[in-house]
Amino acid sequence: MNMDMLLFELEKDGGKPLYDQLYSGIKEAIITKKIAVGEKLPSKRKLADFLNISQTTIEIAYAQLLAEGYIMSKSRVGYFVEEIDDLPYIQPDTTAFINEQPKKKSFNIDFNPGSIDIDAFPFQTWRKYARDLFDDASKELLLTGEPQGEPALRTEIANYLYQSRGVVCSPEQIVIGSGTEQLLPMILRLFSEDTCFALENPGYPTVHRMFSQYKRKVLPIAVDDEGIVIHALEKTSADVVYITPSHQFPTGAVLSATRRAQALNWAAQSPSRYIIEDDYDSEFRYTGKPIPALQALDRNDKVIYMSTFTKSLMPSLRVAYFVLPPKLLATYNDVFNYYSSTVPRFDQHIVANFMRDGHFSKHLNRMRKVYRKKHDKLTTILENYSSQVKMTGEQAGMHVLLNVQHPLSEQQLQQHANNAGIGIYPLSDYRLDGLLSTQVQFLLGFGGIPVHQIEASIERLMDCWNIPKITLMADNH
Ligand SMILES: Cc1ncc(COP(=O)(O)O)c(C=O)c1O
């Protein structure tokens, strides 16, 4: 071959090593067919002389081309260009990709029900546990751990669940994963593909989306102020029902004692029936005594209990868990024993040690006070607008439901709020059947709003909705 073809502009002082420049140049010439298939490459010595570089540089470049299959070597004869399949060289259109990224709306005031308080996190303590773990003494944690999660964390979770939620389980029944949204698909796979799932309507949209993506049969079941309507569930062919008894998402209803009994009786009537109990924000309850989990009342091993550290620690941690009834544990072991845990072992041990030394309980007590303050402030301020605005679902969690008397629709009111830089979330967005509600209702998350900003935030919202403050009787005295 004519060696001029290999007369590359090698930048001797460039950032890229010479062998790499040479390798890229020859590869490009082969791909673009400037050098034909079967053509013999110059010997290392000749090319080294021609390009005025060392033979070693040529040797490394040829070795790389050989390893990647661009050239072949014939003993004592030399190197030849290989036949390669045409590769689809498509220049990625990065601008198109960037444009397609959904933009997260940002508001000056955001009543997002998923936000938590970020001002009271015990960084110092957390940092101590993280620092202590990243040490030679924990080098074994560099290796893969148990698929169900670290026994140390499962033990802490089992203790916590027993003490605070009345859930009786052993660490062996617990599976840890990176969020409810990663764990639910695992639960789905414990049931046959023709299993029919019932979901609360309105409900948690992530769950609905996920069940549909996995092509499972889904039935929406109505929710009222006592939680999911079990009589409606009884009339369906559903086998498994997903519910949020402690604080229905999104209405905030607490499942009444009668409904709890009805739900467990429904499940007990057939071996194929199960209840998935999502206890996502049960740590925060503002009225009455704590209500134990539904799992705690179950005598027939019919409840798959699940919860998360998203509200109690932070959403970015991505740690949640489920507790399987013993019967389903065997199925789980058959299906999932080949997979590794989705949560890094170091993170699991940070949480476990934090719990073991009592910091989780301390943090929860502190956060209960923080959220109660915010909750009480919110409810007091909202009373000023009670002629047009009623609040429900305020017994627990980090959001309430606002029922608004207004001539404008939910969508129009949302638009007014968004235009004023306020994020507010219509209940219709959480309906699984896509029907618009006849009432005007919004989710109002208060977890992420600093307590001193609650009054001004509500005032701005009411101003942009043209809802006047009422004069309370107490003001006249
Ligand atoms: C009903 C419900 N379940 C679970 C979660 C938490 O999900 P994850 O553990 O994936 O963060 C949320 C979060 O807002 C929720 O609303």
Side-chain angles (χ1 to χ4, degrees):
M1 73 176 286
N2 182 351
M3 252 197 304
D4 287 347
M5 275 197 223
L6 299 181
L7 185 60
F8 301 113
E9 296 240 337
L10 299 177
E11 283 180 46
K12 298 211 169 158
D13 302 322
K16 228 173 154 190
L18 281 179
Y19 73 84
D20 203 1
Q21 295 182 46
L22 184 63
Y23 150 81
S24 305
I26 301 178
K27 185 170 95 173
E28 183 70 19
I30 293 173
I31 289 169
T32 55
K33 308 233 180 319
K34 279 195 199 123
I35 316 178
V37 174
E39 187 115 32
K40 181 171 183 287
L41 293 184
S43 73
K44 292 176 213 162
R45 189 185 47 76
K46 271 197 196 151
L47 190 58
D49 284 348
F50 179 68
L51 294 173
N52 195 19
I53 53 179
S54 81
Q55 273 197 52
T56 317
T57 304
I58 313 278
E59 206 165 296
I60 300 173
Y62 277 12
Q64 186 62 30
L65 290 164
L66 196 64
E68 291 183 19
Y70 288 100
I71 59 174
M72 59 177 286
S73 139
K74 279 192 195 158
S75 180
R76 274 187 262 267
V77 185
Y79 293 97
F80 295 84
V81 174
E82 269 277 30
E83 170 91 63
I84 52 161
D85 284 344
D86 280 347
L87 294 173
Y89 267 83
I90 300 168
Q91 276 295 339
D93 183 353
T94 49
T95 52
F97 179 67
I98 290 164
N99 288 341
E100 276 168 24
Q101 297 283 306
K103 287 204 178 68
K104 237 185 171 172
K105 280 191 196 148
S106 82
F107 299 107
N108 298 329
I109 300 168
D110 197 349
F111 290 107
N112 188 335
S115 299
I116 64 154
D117 181 282
I118 54 171
D119 294 323
F121 188 75
F123 276 110
Q124 215 177 335
T125 313
W126 196 265
R127 187 162 55 240
K128 176 194 168 314
Y129 284 102
R131 205 177 39 217
D132 287 356
L133 269 173
F134 287 99
D135 185 85
D136 256 359
S138 317
K139 64 184 178 193
E140 188 256 337
L141 295 184
L142 294 168
L143 307 173
T144 313
E146 292 192 15
Q148 278 180 240
E150 295 298 289
L153 180 54
R154 287 191 273 136
T155 303
E156 291 305 327
I157 291 173
N159 291 341
Y160 164 74
L161 288 180
Y162 178 64
Q163 283 160 20
S164 70
R165 307 295 302 125
V167 170
V168 181
C169 68
S170 70
E172 287 71 34
Q173 289 169 261
I174 298 178
V175 177
I176 294 165
S178 56
T180 306
E181 57 193 28
Q182 308 297 329
L183 290 172
L184 265 170
M186 294 175 95
I187 294 179
L188 285 191
R189 287 177 57 189
L190 300 179
F191 298 100
S192 66
E193 285 184 10
D194 56 358
T195 302
C196 182
F197 292 87
L199 304 183
E200 296 166 330
N201 182 34
Y204 186 32
T206 307
V207 175
H208 184 234
R209 235 174 275 138
M210 185 183 301
F211 280 52
S212 309
Q213 273 169 7
Y214 280 81
K215 305 209 170 1
R216 297 307 158 110
K217 268 185 268 169
V218 175
L219 294 172
I221 309 289
V223 169
D224 63 18
D225 55 3
E226 283 185 63
I228 186 167
V229 181
I230 303 295
H231 284 323
L233 172 69
E234 285 164 349
K235 293 191 186 118
T236 69
S237 56
D239 304 294
V240 181
V241 64
Y242 163 91
I243 51 177
T244 46
S246 298
H247 188 225
Q248 202 273 330
F249 190 87
T251 66
V254 178
L255 194 68
S256 67
T258 313
R259 297 269 173 93
R260 280 168 196 256
Q262 287 171 351
L264 291 171
N265 286 334
W266 168 85
Q269 278 163 24
S270 159
S272 63
R273 287 187 183 168
Y274 281 95
I275 297 169
I276 304 171
E277 174 181 25
D278 182 352
D279 211 22
Y280 71 106
D281 70 358
S282 58
E283 296 85 0
F284 306 104
R285 192 174 163 75
Y286 309 110
T287 43
K289 280 194 300 189
I291 302 173
L294 189 63
Q295 197 266 13
L297 301 173
D298 177 25
R299 296 285 164 266
N300 299 297
D301 286 344
K302 285 294 189 178
V303 177
I304 302 166
Y305 176 90
M306 66 191 311
S307 194
T308 176
F309 288 104
T310 280
K311 302 283 185 189
S312 53
L313 284 173
M314 63 190 110
S316 64
L317 184 66
R318 309 312 302 140
V319 181
Y321 48 88
F322 58 75
V323 180
L324 286 176
K327 237 185 290 170
L328 287 177
L329 197 57
T331 319
Y332 168 87
N333 281 324
D334 281 349
V335 182
F336 287 108
N337 238 355
Y338 315 99
Y339 296 94
S340 308
S341 170
T342 50
V343 184
R345 292 182 80 189
F346 282 100
D347 288 345
Q348 294 190 51
H349 281 274
I350 294 173
V351 181
N353 295 349
F354 188 80
M355 292 177 92
R356 179 199 61 205
D357 295 347
H359 294 292
F360 185 56
S361 312
K362 224 190 269 174
H363 179 60
L364 282 180
N365 285 337
R366 182 136 148 257
M367 294 319 291
R368 273 190 203 106
K369 284 188 195 129
V370 169
Y371 291 122
R372 177 181 288 282
K373 241 186 182 170
K374 293 187 181 194
H375 169 273
D376 291 354
K377 184 87 188 165
L378 180 79
T379 43
T380 312
I381 302 297
L382 281 172
E383 274 173 27
N384 295 330
Y385 303 91
S386 58
S387 60
Q388 278 180 262
V389 176
K390 299 258 178 314
M391 184 180 53
T392 52
E394 77 285 12
Q395 294 184 37
M398 295 178 202
H399 75 270
V400 297
L401 196 67
L402 279 194
N403 303 268
V404 185
Q405 295 285 330
H406 207 285
L408 296 182
S409 69
E410 269 182 6
Q411 280 62 37
Q412 288 166 322
L413 290 175
Q414 182 186 28
Q415 201 54 55
H416 277 294
N418 288 175
N419 293 346
I422 305 172
I424 186 91
Y425 302 86
L427 185 68
S428 300
D429 289 358
Y430 298 83
R431 291 196 67 88
L432 313 187
D433 46 20
L435 296 175
L436 291 182
S437 22
T438 45
Q439 285 164 296
V440 176
Q441 290 173 303
F442 289 96
L443 267 75
L444 196 78
F446 55 86
I449 303 189
V451 70
H452 63 273
Q453 286 175 15
I454 287 183
E455 182 165 7
S457 304
I458 294 293
E459 280 176 0
R460 274 192 59 188
L461 178 66
M462 295 301 148
D463 271 357
C464 83
W465 284 351
N466 254 331
I467 299 181
K469 233 182 199 173
I470 55 167
T471 317
L472 295 174
M473 293 298 280
D475 291 353
N476 297 331
H477 294 286

